[in-house]
Coordinates of all heavy atoms in Angstrom, one line a residue:
M282 N 68.2 164.3 159.5 CA 68.2 162.8 159.5 C 69.2 162.3 160.6 O 70.2 162.9 160.8 CB 68.7 162.3 158.1 CG 67.8 162.6 156.9 SD 66.5 161.4 156.8 CE 67.1 160.3 155.6
A283 N 68.8 161.3 161.2 CA 69.6 160.6 162.2 C 70.4 159.5 161.6 O 70.0 158.9 160.6 CB 68.7 160.1 163.3
T284 N 71.6 159.2 162.1 CA 72.5 158.2 161.6 C 72.4 157.0 162.6 O 72.5 157.2 163.8 CB 73.9 158.7 161.5 OG1 73.9 159.8 160.6 CG2 74.8 157.6 161.0
Y285 N 72.4 155.8 162.0 CA 72.4 154.6 162.7 C 73.5 153.6 162.2 O 73.7 153.5 161.0 CB 71.0 153.9 162.6 CG 69.9 154.8 163.1 CD1 69.3 155.7 162.2 CD2 69.4 154.7 164.4 CE1 68.3 156.5 162.6 CE2 68.4 155.5 164.8 CZ 67.9 156.4 163.9 OH 66.9 157.3 164.4
V286 N 74.2 153.0 163.2 CA 75.1 151.9 162.9 C 74.5 150.6 163.4 O 74.2 150.5 164.6 CB 76.5 152.2 163.5 CG1 77.5 151.1 163.3 CG2 77.1 153.6 163.0
T287 N 74.4 149.7 162.5 CA 73.8 148.4 162.8 C 74.7 147.3 162.7 O 75.3 147.1 161.6 CB 72.5 148.2 162.0 OG1 71.6 149.3 162.1 CG2 71.8 146.9 162.4
L288 N 74.9 146.5 163.7 CA 75.7 145.3 163.7 C 74.9 144.1 163.3 O 73.8 144.0 163.8 CB 76.3 145.1 165.1 CG 77.1 146.3 165.7 CD1 77.5 146.0 167.1 CD2 78.3 146.6 164.8
I289 N 75.4 143.3 162.4 CA 74.6 142.3 161.8 C 75.2 140.9 162.0 O 76.5 140.8 161.9 CB 74.4 142.5 160.3 CG1 73.6 143.8 160.0 CG2 73.8 141.3 159.6 CD1 73.6 144.2 158.6
K290 N 74.4 139.9 162.4 CA 74.8 138.5 162.5 C 73.9 137.7 161.6 O 72.7 137.9 161.6 CB 74.7 138.0 163.9 CG 75.8 138.5 164.8 CD 75.8 137.7 166.1 CE 77.0 138.1 167.0 NZ 77.1 137.3 168.1
L291 N 74.5 136.8 160.8 CA 73.7 136.0 159.9 C 73.1 134.9 160.8 O 73.7 134.4 161.7 CB 74.6 135.3 158.9 CG 75.2 136.2 157.8 CD1 76.3 135.4 157.0 CD2 74.2 136.7 156.9
T292 N 71.8 134.6 160.4 CA 71.1 133.4 161.1 C 71.5 132.2 160.3 O 72.3 132.2 159.3 CB 69.6 133.6 161.0 OG1 69.3 133.6 159.6 CG2 69.2 134.9 161.6
E293 N 71.1 131.0 160.8 CA 71.3 129.8 160.1 C 70.8 129.9 158.7 O 71.5 129.4 157.7 CB 70.7 128.6 160.8 CG 71.4 128.1 162.0 CD 70.8 126.9 162.6 OE1 70.5 126.0 161.8 OE2 70.7 126.8 163.9
R294 N 69.7 130.5 158.5 CA 69.1 130.6 157.1 C 70.0 131.5 156.3 O 70.3 131.3 155.1 CB 67.7 131.2 157.2 CG 67.1 131.4 155.8 CD 65.7 131.9 156.0 NE 65.2 132.2 154.7 CZ 63.9 132.6 154.5 NH1 63.1 132.7 155.5 NH2 63.5 132.9 153.3
G295 N 70.5 132.6 156.9 CA 71.4 133.5 156.2 C 72.7 132.9 155.8 O 73.2 133.2 154.7
I296 N 73.2 132.0 156.6 CA 74.5 131.3 156.3 C 74.2 130.3 155.2 O 75.0 130.2 154.3 CB 75.0 130.6 157.6 CG1 75.5 131.7 158.6 CG2 76.1 129.7 157.2 CD1 75.8 131.2 160.0
K297 N 73.1 129.6 155.3 CA 72.8 128.6 154.3 C 72.7 129.2 152.9 O 73.1 128.7 151.9 CB 71.4 127.9 154.6 CG 71.0 126.9 153.7 CD 69.6 126.3 154.1 CE 69.1 125.4 153.0 NZ 67.8 125.8 152.5
D298 N 72.1 130.4 152.8 CA 71.9 131.1 151.6 C 72.9 132.3 151.4 O 72.6 133.3 150.8 CB 70.5 131.7 151.5 CG 69.5 130.6 151.5 OD1 69.7 129.5 151.0 OD2 68.3 130.8 152.0
F299 N 74.2 132.1 151.9 CA 75.2 133.1 151.9 C 75.5 133.7 150.5 O 75.8 134.9 150.4 CB 76.5 132.7 152.5 CG 77.3 131.7 151.7 CD1 78.3 132.1 150.9 CD2 77.1 130.3 151.8 CE1 79.0 131.3 150.1 CE2 77.8 129.4 151.1 CZ 78.8 129.9 150.2
K300 N 75.3 132.9 149.4 CA 75.6 133.4 148.1 C 74.7 134.5 147.6 O 75.0 135.2 146.7 CB 75.6 132.3 147.1 CG 76.8 131.3 147.3 CD 76.9 130.3 146.2 CE 78.1 129.4 146.5 NZ 78.2 128.4 145.4
D301 N 73.5 134.7 148.3 CA 72.6 135.7 148.0 C 72.8 137.0 148.8 O 72.0 137.9 148.7 CB 71.2 135.2 148.2 CG 70.8 134.1 147.2 OD1 71.4 134.1 146.1 OD2 70.0 133.2 147.6
T302 N 73.8 137.0 149.7 CA 73.9 138.1 150.6 C 74.0 139.5 150.0 O 73.4 140.5 150.4 CB 75.1 137.9 151.6 OG1 75.0 138.9 152.6 CG2 76.4 138.0 150.9
C303 N 74.7 139.6 148.8 CA 74.8 140.9 148.2 C 73.5 141.3 147.6 O 73.1 142.5 147.6 CB 75.9 140.9 147.1 SG 77.6 140.7 147.8
K304 N 72.8 140.4 147.0 CA 71.5 140.7 146.4 C 70.5 141.1 147.5 O 69.7 142.0 147.4 CB 70.9 139.5 145.7 CG 69.5 139.7 145.1 CD 69.0 138.4 144.5 CE 67.6 138.6 143.9 NZ 66.6 139.4 144.7
R305 N 70.6 140.4 148.7 CA 69.7 140.8 149.8 C 70.0 142.2 150.3 O 69.1 143.0 150.6 CB 69.8 139.8 150.9 CG 69.2 138.4 150.6 CD 69.0 137.6 151.9 NE 70.2 137.4 152.6 CZ 71.0 136.3 152.6 NH1 70.7 135.3 151.7 NH2 72.1 136.2 153.3
A306 N 71.3 142.6 150.3 CA 71.6 143.9 150.8 C 71.1 144.9 149.8 O 70.6 146.0 150.2 CB 73.2 144.0 150.9
A307 N 71.2 144.7 148.5 CA 70.7 145.6 147.5 C 69.2 145.7 147.6 O 68.6 146.8 147.4 CB 71.1 145.1 146.1
D308 N 68.5 144.6 147.8 CA 67.0 144.6 148.0 C 66.6 145.4 149.2 O 65.7 146.2 149.1 CB 66.5 143.2 148.1 CG 66.6 142.4 146.8 OD1 66.8 142.9 145.8 OD2 66.4 141.1 146.9
F309 N 67.4 145.3 150.3 CA 67.0 146.0 151.5 C 67.2 147.5 151.2 O 66.4 148.4 151.6 CB 67.9 145.6 152.7 CG 67.6 146.5 153.9 CD1 66.4 146.5 154.6 CD2 68.6 147.5 154.3 CE1 66.2 147.3 155.7 CE2 68.3 148.3 155.3 CZ 67.2 148.3 156.0
K310 N 68.3 147.9 150.5 CA 68.5 149.3 150.2 C 67.4 149.9 149.4 O 66.9 151.0 149.7 CB 69.8 149.4 149.4 CG 70.3 150.8 149.2 CD 71.7 150.9 148.6 CE 72.1 152.3 148.4 NZ 73.5 152.4 147.9
A311 N 66.8 149.1 148.5 CA 65.7 149.6 147.7 C 64.4 149.7 148.5 O 63.7 150.7 148.4 CB 65.5 148.7 146.5
R312 N 64.2 148.7 149.3 CA 63.0 148.8 150.2 C 63.1 149.9 151.2 O 62.1 150.5 151.5 CB 62.8 147.4 150.9 CG 62.3 146.3 150.0 CD 61.8 145.1 150.7 NE 62.5 144.7 151.9 CZ 63.6 144.0 152.0 NH1 64.1 143.5 150.9 NH2 64.2 143.7 153.1
A313 N 64.3 150.1 151.8 CA 64.5 151.1 152.8 C 64.2 152.5 152.2 O 63.7 153.4 152.9 CB 65.9 151.0 153.4
K314 N 64.6 152.7 151.0 CA 64.4 154.0 150.3 C 62.9 154.4 150.3 O 62.6 155.6 150.5 CB 64.9 153.9 148.9 CG 65.1 155.2 148.2 CD 65.8 155.1 146.9 CE 66.0 156.5 146.3 NZ 66.7 156.4 145.0
K315 N 62.0 153.4 150.2 CA 60.6 153.7 150.3 C 60.1 154.2 151.6 O 59.1 154.9 151.7 CB 59.8 152.4 149.9 CG 60.0 152.0 148.5 CD 59.3 150.7 148.2 CE 59.6 150.2 146.8 NZ 58.9 148.9 146.6
L316 N 60.9 154.0 152.7 CA 60.7 154.5 154.0 C 61.4 155.8 154.3 O 61.4 156.2 155.4 CB 61.0 153.4 155.1 CG 60.2 152.2 155.1 CD1 60.9 151.2 156.1 CD2 58.8 152.5 155.5
A317 N 62.1 156.3 153.3 CA 63.0 157.5 153.5 C 64.2 157.2 154.3 O 64.8 158.1 154.9 CB 62.2 158.7 154.1
I318 N 64.6 155.9 154.2 CA 65.9 155.5 154.8 C 66.9 155.5 153.7 O 66.7 154.9 152.7 CB 65.8 154.1 155.5 CG1 64.8 154.2 156.7 CG2 67.1 153.6 155.9 CD1 64.5 152.8 157.3
E319 N 68.1 156.1 154.0 CA 69.2 156.1 153.1 C 70.3 155.3 153.6 O 71.0 155.6 154.6 CB 69.7 157.5 152.8 CG 70.8 157.6 151.8 CD 71.4 159.0 151.6 OE1 70.9 160.0 152.2 OE2 72.4 159.1 150.9
V320 N 70.5 154.1 152.9 CA 71.6 153.2 153.3 C 72.9 153.9 152.8 O 73.1 154.1 151.6 CB 71.5 151.8 152.7 CG1 72.7 151.0 153.0 CG2 70.2 151.2 153.3
K321 N 73.8 154.2 153.7 CA 75.1 154.9 153.4 C 76.1 153.9 153.0 O 76.8 154.0 152.0 CB 75.6 155.7 154.6 CG 74.7 156.8 155.0 CD 74.7 157.9 153.9 CE 74.2 159.2 154.5 NZ 74.3 160.3 153.6
D322 N 76.3 152.8 153.8 CA 77.3 151.8 153.5 C 76.9 150.5 154.1 O 76.2 150.4 155.1 CB 78.7 152.2 154.1 CG 79.4 153.2 153.4 OD1 79.6 153.0 152.2 OD2 79.7 154.3 154.0
T323 N 77.3 149.4 153.5 CA 77.1 148.0 154.0 C 78.5 147.4 153.9 O 79.2 147.5 152.9 CB 76.1 147.2 153.1 OG1 74.9 147.9 153.1 CG2 75.9 145.8 153.7
Y324 N 78.9 146.8 155.0 CA 80.2 146.1 155.1 C 80.0 144.7 155.5 O 79.2 144.4 156.5 CB 81.2 146.8 156.1 CG 81.5 148.2 155.7 CD1 80.8 149.3 156.2 CD2 82.5 148.5 154.8 CE1 81.1 150.6 155.9 CE2 82.8 149.8 154.4 CZ 82.1 150.8 155.0 OH 82.5 152.1 154.7
W325 N 80.7 143.7 155.0 CA 80.7 142.4 155.4 C 82.0 142.2 156.3 O 83.1 142.7 155.9 CB 80.7 141.4 154.3 CG 79.4 141.3 153.6 CD1 78.4 140.3 153.8 CD2 78.8 142.2 152.7 NE1 77.3 140.6 153.1 CE2 77.5 141.8 152.4 CE3 79.2 143.4 152.1 CZ2 76.6 142.4 151.5 CZ3 78.3 144.1 151.3 CH2 77.1 143.6 151.0
C326 N 81.9 141.5 157.4 CA 83.0 141.5 158.4 C 83.4 140.1 158.8 O 82.6 139.2 158.6 CB 82.6 142.3 159.6 SG 82.0 144.0 159.4
M327 N 84.6 140.0 159.3 CA 85.1 138.8 159.9 C 85.1 139.1 161.4 O 85.4 140.2 161.8 CB 86.5 138.5 159.5 CG 86.6 138.2 158.0 SD 88.3 137.7 157.5 CE 89.3 139.1 157.9
G328 N 84.8 138.1 162.2 CA 84.9 138.3 163.7 C 83.5 138.1 164.3 O 82.7 137.3 163.8
A329 N 83.3 138.8 165.4 CA 82.0 138.6 166.2 C 80.8 138.9 165.4 O 79.7 138.4 165.7 CB 82.1 139.4 167.4
Y330 N 80.9 139.8 164.4 CA 79.7 140.2 163.6 C 80.0 139.9 162.2 O 81.1 140.0 161.7 CB 79.4 141.7 163.8 CG 78.9 141.9 165.2 CD1 79.7 142.3 166.3 CD2 77.5 141.8 165.6 CE1 79.3 142.5 167.6 CE2 77.1 141.9 166.8 CZ 77.9 142.3 167.8 OH 77.5 142.5 169.1
D331 N 79.0 139.6 161.4 CA 79.1 139.3 160.0 C 79.0 140.5 159.1 O 79.3 140.5 157.9 CB 78.0 138.3 159.6 CG 78.2 137.0 160.4 OD1 79.3 136.4 160.4 OD2 77.2 136.5 161.0
G332 N 78.5 141.6 159.7 CA 78.3 142.8 158.8 C 78.0 144.0 159.7 O 77.7 144.0 160.8
V333 N 78.1 145.2 159.0 CA 77.8 146.5 159.5 C 77.0 147.2 158.5 O 77.4 147.3 157.3 CB 79.0 147.3 159.9 CG1 78.7 148.7 160.4 CG2 79.9 146.6 161.0
L334 N 75.9 147.8 158.9 CA 75.0 148.6 158.0 C 75.0 150.0 158.6 O 74.7 150.2 159.8 CB 73.6 147.9 158.0 CG 72.5 148.7 157.3 CD1 72.8 148.7 155.8 CD2 71.2 148.0 157.6
I335 N 75.3 151.0 157.8 CA 75.2 152.4 158.2 C 74.1 153.1 157.4 O 74.2 153.0 156.2 CB 76.6 153.1 158.1 CG1 77.6 152.3 158.9 CG2 76.5 154.6 158.5 CD1 79.0 152.8 158.6
F336 N 73.2 153.7 158.1 CA 72.1 154.3 157.3 C 71.6 155.5 158.1 O 71.8 155.7 159.3 CB 70.9 153.3 157.1 CG 70.2 152.9 158.3 CD1 69.1 153.5 158.8 CD2 70.6 151.7 159.0 CE1 68.4 153.1 159.9 CE2 69.9 151.3 160.1 CZ 68.8 152.0 160.6
D337 N 70.9 156.4 157.3 CA 70.2 157.6 157.9 C 68.7 157.4 157.8 O 68.2 156.8 156.8 CB 70.6 158.9 157.1 CG 72.0 159.3 157.3 OD1 72.7 158.8 158.2 OD2 72.5 160.2 156.5
A338 N 68.0 157.8 158.8 CA 66.6 157.7 158.8 C 66.0 159.0 159.4 O 66.7 159.6 160.2 CB 66.1 156.5 159.6
P339 N 64.8 159.4 159.1 CA 64.2 160.6 159.6 C 64.0 160.6 161.2 O 64.1 161.6 161.8 CB 62.9 160.8 158.9 CG 62.7 159.6 158.0 CD 63.9 158.7 158.1
D340 N 63.8 159.4 161.7 CA 63.6 159.3 163.2 C 63.7 157.8 163.6 O 63.9 156.9 162.8 CB 62.2 159.8 163.5 CG 61.1 159.2 162.7 OD1 61.0 157.9 162.6 OD2 60.3 159.9 162.1
D341 N 63.7 157.6 164.9 CA 63.9 156.3 165.5 C 62.8 155.3 165.1 O 63.1 154.1 164.8 CB 64.0 156.4 167.0 CG 65.2 157.0 167.6 OD1 66.2 157.2 166.8 OD2 65.2 157.4 168.8
E342 N 61.6 155.8 165.0 CA 60.5 154.9 164.6 C 60.7 154.4 163.2 O 60.4 153.2 162.9 CB 59.2 155.7 164.7 CG 58.8 156.1 166.1 CD 59.4 157.3 166.7 OE1 60.2 158.0 165.9 OE2 59.3 157.6 167.9
T343 N 61.1 155.2 162.3 CA 61.4 154.8 160.9 C 62.5 153.8 160.8 O 62.5 152.8 160.1 CB 61.6 156.0 160.0 OG1 60.5 156.9 160.1 CG2 61.8 155.6 158.6
A344 N 63.6 154.1 161.6 CA 64.7 153.2 161.7 C 64.3 151.8 162.2 O 64.6 150.8 161.6 CB 65.8 153.7 162.6
A345 N 63.5 151.8 163.2 CA 63.0 150.6 163.8 C 62.1 149.8 162.8 O 62.2 148.6 162.7 CB 62.2 150.8 165.1
A346 N 61.3 150.5 162.0 CA 60.4 149.9 161.0 C 61.3 149.2 160.0 O 61.0 148.1 159.5 CB 59.5 150.9 160.4
G347 N 62.3 149.9 159.5 CA 63.2 149.3 158.5 C 63.9 148.1 159.0 O 64.0 147.1 158.3
L348 N 64.4 148.1 160.3 CA 65.1 147.0 160.8 C 64.2 145.8 161.1 O 64.6 144.7 161.0 CB 65.9 147.4 162.0 CG 67.1 148.3 161.7 CD1 67.8 148.7 163.0 CD2 68.1 147.6 160.7
L349 N 62.9 146.1 161.5 CA 62.0 145.1 161.7 C 61.7 144.4 160.4 O 61.6 143.1 160.3 CB 60.7 145.6 162.3 CG 60.8 146.0 163.8 CD1 59.5 146.7 164.3 CD2 60.9 144.7 164.7
S350 N 61.6 145.1 159.3 CA 61.3 144.6 158.0 C 62.5 143.7 157.6 O 62.3 142.6 157.1 CB 61.2 145.7 157.0 OG 61.1 145.2 155.7
L351 N 63.7 144.1 157.9 CA 64.9 143.4 157.5 C 65.0 142.1 158.4 O 65.2 141.0 157.8 CB 66.2 144.2 157.8 CG 67.5 143.5 157.6 CD1 67.7 143.1 156.1 CD2 68.7 144.4 158.0
G352 N 64.7 142.2 159.6 CA 64.8 141.0 160.5 C 63.7 140.0 160.2 O 63.9 138.8 160.4
S353 N 62.5 140.5 159.7 CA 61.4 139.6 159.5 C 61.7 138.5 158.4 O 61.0 137.5 158.2 CB 60.2 140.4 159.1 OG 60.3 140.9 157.8
L354 N 62.8 138.8 157.6 CA 63.1 137.8 156.5 C 64.0 136.7 157.0 O 64.2 135.7 156.3 CB 63.9 138.6 155.4 CG 63.2 139.7 154.8 CD1 64.1 140.5 153.8 CD2 61.9 139.2 154.1
N355 N 64.3 136.7 158.3 CA 65.0 135.6 159.0 C 66.4 135.3 158.5 O 66.9 134.2 158.7 CB 64.2 134.4 159.1 CG 62.9 134.6 159.9 OD1 62.9 135.2 160.9 ND2 61.8 134.1 159.3
N356 N 67.1 136.2 157.8 CA 68.4 136.0 157.3 C 69.5 136.6 158.3 O 70.6 136.2 158.3 CB 68.6 136.6 155.9 CG 67.8 135.8 154.9 OD1 68.0 134.6 154.8 ND2 67.0 136.5 154.2
V357 N 69.1 137.6 159.1 CA 70.0 138.3 160.0 C 69.3 138.7 161.3 O 68.1 138.8 161.3 CB 70.6 139.6 159.3 CG1 71.4 139.3 158.1 CG2 69.5 140.6 159.0
T358 N 70.1 138.9 162.3 CA 69.7 139.5 163.5 C 70.5 140.8 163.6 O 71.6 140.9 163.0 CB 69.9 138.7 164.8 OG1 71.3 138.4 164.9 CG2 69.1 137.4 164.7
T359 N 70.0 141.9 164.2 CA 70.6 143.2 164.2 C 70.7 143.7 165.6 O 69.9 143.4 166.5 CB 69.9 144.2 163.4 OG1 68.6 144.3 163.9 CG2 69.8 143.7 161.9
Q360 N 71.7 144.6 165.8 CA 71.9 145.4 167.0 C 72.1 146.8 166.4 O 73.1 147.1 165.7 CB 73.0 145.0 167.9 CG 72.8 143.8 168.7 CD 73.9 143.6 169.7 OE1 75.0 143.9 169.5 NE2 73.6 142.9 170.8
C361 N 71.2 147.7 166.8 CA 71.2 149.1 166.2 C 71.7 150.1 167.2 O 71.3 150.1 168.4 CB 69.9 149.5 165.7 SG 69.8 151.0 164.8
L362 N 72.6 151.0 166.7 CA 73.2 152.0 167.6 C 72.9 153.4 167.0 O 73.3 153.6 165.8 CB 74.7 151.8 167.7 CG 75.2 150.5 168.1 CD1 76.7 150.3 167.8 CD2 74.9 150.2 169.6
R363 N 72.2 154.2 167.7 CA 72.0 155.6 167.2 C 73.3 156.3 167.4 O 74.0 156.2 168.4 CB 70.9 156.3 168.1 CG 70.7 157.8 167.9 CD 70.3 158.1 166.4 NE 69.9 159.5 166.4 CZ 70.7 160.5 166.0 NH1 71.9 160.3 165.7 NH2 70.2 161.8 166.0
S364 N 73.8 156.9 166.3 CA 75.1 157.5 166.3 C 75.1 159.0 166.1 O 74.1 159.5 165.5 CB 75.9 156.9 165.2 OG 76.0 155.5 165.3
F365 N 76.1 159.7 166.5 CA 76.1 161.2 166.4 C 77.5 161.7 165.8 O 78.5 161.1 166.1 CB 76.0 161.8 167.8 CG 74.7 161.4 168.5 CD1 74.7 160.3 169.3 CD2 73.6 162.1 168.3 CE1 73.6 159.9 170.0 CE2 72.4 161.7 169.0 CZ 72.4 160.6 169.8
T366 N 77.4 162.7 164.9 CA 78.6 163.3 164.4 C 79.2 164.2 165.5 O 78.6 164.5 166.5 CB 78.2 164.1 163.1 OG1 77.4 165.2 163.6 CG2 77.6 163.3 162.1
A367 N 80.4 164.7 165.2 CA 81.0 165.6 166.1 C 80.2 166.9 166.3 O 80.0 167.4 167.4 CB 82.4 166.0 165.7
A368 N 79.6 167.4 165.2 CA 78.7 168.6 165.3 C 77.5 168.3 166.2 O 77.1 169.1 167.0 CB 78.3 169.0 163.9
E369 N 76.9 167.1 166.0 CA 75.7 166.8 166.8 C 76.1 166.6 168.3 O 75.4 167.1 169.2 CB 75.1 165.5 166.3 CG 74.4 165.7 164.9 CD 74.0 164.3 164.3 OE1 74.8 163.3 164.5 OE2 73.0 164.3 163.6
M370 N 77.2 166.0 168.5 CA 77.7 165.8 169.9 C 78.0 167.1 170.6 O 77.7 167.3 171.7 CB 78.9 164.9 169.9 CG 79.3 164.4 171.2 SD 77.9 163.3 171.8 CE 78.4 163.2 173.5
S371 N 78.6 168.1 169.8 CA 78.8 169.4 170.4 C 77.5 170.1 170.9 O 77.5 170.7 171.9 CB 79.5 170.3 169.4 OG 80.8 169.8 169.1
K372 N 76.4 169.9 170.1 CA 75.1 170.5 170.5 C 74.6 169.8 171.7 O 74.0 170.4 172.6 CB 74.1 170.4 169.3 CG 74.4 171.3 168.2 CD 73.4 171.1 167.1 CE 73.7 171.9 165.9 NZ 72.8 171.7 164.8
I373 N 74.8 168.5 171.8 CA 74.4 167.7 173.0 C 75.2 168.2 174.2 O 74.6 168.4 175.3 CB 74.6 166.2 172.8 CG1 73.6 165.7 171.7 CG2 74.4 165.4 174.1 CD1 73.9 164.4 171.1
L374 N 76.5 168.4 174.1 CA 77.3 168.8 175.2 C 76.9 170.1 175.8 O 77.0 170.3 177.0 CB 78.8 168.7 174.8 CG 79.3 167.3 174.5 CD1 80.7 167.4 174.0 CD2 79.3 166.4 175.7
V375 N 76.5 171.0 175.0 CA 76.0 172.3 175.4 C 74.9 172.2 176.4 O 74.7 173.0 177.3 CB 75.6 173.2 174.2 CG1 74.9 174.5 174.7 CG2 76.9 173.6 173.4
K376 N 74.1 171.2 176.2 CA 72.9 171.0 177.1 C 73.2 170.3 178.4 O 72.3 170.2 179.3 CB 71.8 170.1 176.3 CG 71.3 170.8 175.1 CD 70.3 170.0 174.4 CE 69.8 170.7 173.1 NZ 68.7 169.9 172.4
T377 N 74.4 169.8 178.6 CA 74.7 169.1 179.8 C 74.8 170.1 181.0 O 75.1 171.2 180.8 CB 76.0 168.3 179.7 OG1 77.1 169.2 179.4 CG2 75.9 167.3 178.6
I378 N 74.5 169.5 182.2 CA 74.6 170.4 183.4 C 75.7 169.9 184.3 O 76.3 168.9 184.2 CB 73.3 170.4 184.2 CG1 72.7 169.0 184.3 CG2 72.3 171.3 183.5 CD1 71.5 168.8 185.2

């Protein structure tokens, strides 16, 4: 499974309905599970981003499908970062020339 860190910003709609944000996060976690996406953590933040979502997915295509589904609800916009553990990075470094 690949790990993804997603930066989240609330849209105007998401801000308007901010009291439902925890419910929406739980709903996404349940829907994502149907795609074999495992939501590891969700954080609400202060600053440039309103939240961070950390999840594992079998591949980039599945991750993209999950985030497209999330974005289609018009409550958030996302920036997704494919992330690597130290063990994964060590395997990548072996391949460098």
Side-chain angles (χ1 to χ4, degrees):
M282 294 279 263
T284 300
Y285 301 85
V286 175
T287 304
L288 305 173
I289 295 173
K290 284 192 175 189
L291 293 170
T292 62
E293 282 187 43
R294 179 178 175 175
I296 292 168
K297 180 181 171 235
D298 298 328
F299 72 92
K300 290 185 179 183
D301 295 330
T302 189
C303 293
K304 181 186 180 311
R305 289 195 306 261
D308 290 347
F309 174 72
K310 187 174 184 175
R312 286 192 324 274
K314 191 173 186 177
K315 294 177 184 177
L316 292 173
I318 293 173
E319 181 184 354
V320 175
K321 297 290 196 175
D322 284 303
T323 303
Y324 298 96
W325 285 260
C326 303
M327 297 185 300
Y330 293 92
D331 299 308
V333 176
L334 173 67
I335 301 169
F336 66 91
D337 289 347
D340 51 51
D341 291 345
E342 293 81 7
T343 303
L348 291 176
L349 285 169
S350 173
L351 178 62
S353 73
L354 301 174
N355 296 317
N356 292 303
V357 299
T358 61
T359 62
Q360 286 188 330
C361 187
L362 307 165
R363 171 64 168 95
S364 304
F365 302 92
T366 65
E369 291 169 327
M370 194 62 195
S371 293
K372 288 179 185 177
I373 292 167
L374 293 173
V375 169
K376 296 180 180 183
T377 61
I378 47 176

